[in-house]
Amino acid sequence: MNTTNTPRKAVILVSGGMDSAVTIAMAREQGFEVYALSVAYGQRHSSELEASARVANSLGAVAHKTVHVDLRSIGGSALTADIDVPEDGGDGIPVTYVPARNTIMLSIALGWAEVLGSTDIFCGVNAVDYSGYPDCRPAFIESFQALANVATKAGVEGAGIRIHAPLMQMGKGDIVREGVRLGVDFSETVSCYQADDQGRACGHCDACRLRAEGFAKAGVADTTRYA
């Protein structure tokens, strides 16, 4: 527990979507000084990265950094290869799953946290209303935290690293309501897997469906811009 008036630094993964925006707002409410981190990994469009910058700025991040990693050179996902984004739900892990994406992103966040002297990393993963990605589950977050604390100087010699996933057990409706309470402007966010150059959503992909259901469940007007 922080017993001084000095804000604690936290590195927060920011995708440009609604979940990471709410995560920033929650961290700010807890008294953290936010260092926002986005990863340009070769995703289908740049609109979400542009949204990341907007969100980080509007929610009071001290700094926003974008790190480039070329996952398109590996492929294997509809978000990093010439594979169609499905517009109908299905069983199993969908083709929009990007192999090792959250592991890579959290590893980069871990490195920046060490440089900043931060012991706290936040990410907006969710295991309730989600697409079934294996790296969005509690077991993954717990395992990565254990890894962080044996693989870093901060973990071995310092105060240790904590991975926060405050949305993990929240449904999309709860996330929308929490965002509204905290003053998040969802119109600044982009969730769509295949948004256009202006950040307008397709309205059909899994991400759009989950987002729309969240607004509906919360009884909040959907501020998403659709193509």
Side-chain angles (χ1 to χ4, degrees), residues 88-206:
D88 297 308
D91 296 327
I93 298 170
V95 71
T96 51
Y97 162 69
V98 180
R101 178 177 58 180
N102 284 351
T103 304
I104 292 166
M105 290 181 171
L106 278 171
S107 296
I108 297 169
L110 178 59
W112 196 23
E114 277 212 284
V115 171
L116 292 170
S118 167
T119 59
D120 298 276
I121 298 170
F122 283 73
C123 61
V125 296
N126 173 268
V128 179
D129 290 334
Y130 78 125
S131 297
Y133 299 157
D135 54 3
C136 288
R137 300 171 301 146
F140 168 71
I141 295 299
E142 292 164 6
S143 297
F144 191 91
Q145 179 171 286
L147 168 68
N149 282 295
V150 298
T152 60
K153 181 178 180 179
V156 174
E157 297 182 355
I161 300 291
R162 183 178 177 191
I163 310 298
H164 303 256
L167 310 185
M168 182 64 78
Q169 301 300 336
M170 295 173 67
K172 271 289 192 285
D174 297 323
I175 292 169
V176 171
R177 281 188 287 267
E178 182 72 351
V180 170
R181 182 184 72 81
L182 293 169
V184 173
D185 182 356
F186 288 116
S187 70
E188 293 186 334
T189 66
V190 173
S191 300
C192 179
Y193 292 142
Q194 48 191 356
D196 65 16
D197 291 342
Q198 299 177 50
R200 295 178 301 185
C202 73
H204 304 293
C205 69
D206 211 23

Side-chain angles (χ1 to χ4, degrees), residues 19-99:
D19 291 352
S20 59
V22 174
T23 300
I24 289 179
M26 294 174 77
R28 286 288 311 279
E29 185 180 51
Q30 293 175 36
F32 285 99
E33 195 173 65
V34 169
Y35 289 78
L37 175 66
S38 301
V39 180
Y41 59 86
Q43 53 265 65
R44 293 178 71 95
H45 58 80
S46 62
S47 297
E48 67 177 29
L49 293 170
E50 294 164 6
S52 296
R54 289 195 301 271
V55 166
N57 180 65
S58 67
L59 292 176
V62 172
H64 176 231
K65 181 187 296 291
T66 299
V67 173
H68 293 257
V69 178
D70 184 16
L71 295 186
R72 184 163 286 276
S73 66
I74 298 172
S77 167
L79 303 190
T80 57
D82 295 328
I83 301 170
D84 290 338
V85 173
E87 296 188 351
D88 297 308
D91 296 327
I93 298 170
V95 71
T96 51
Y97 162 69
V98 180

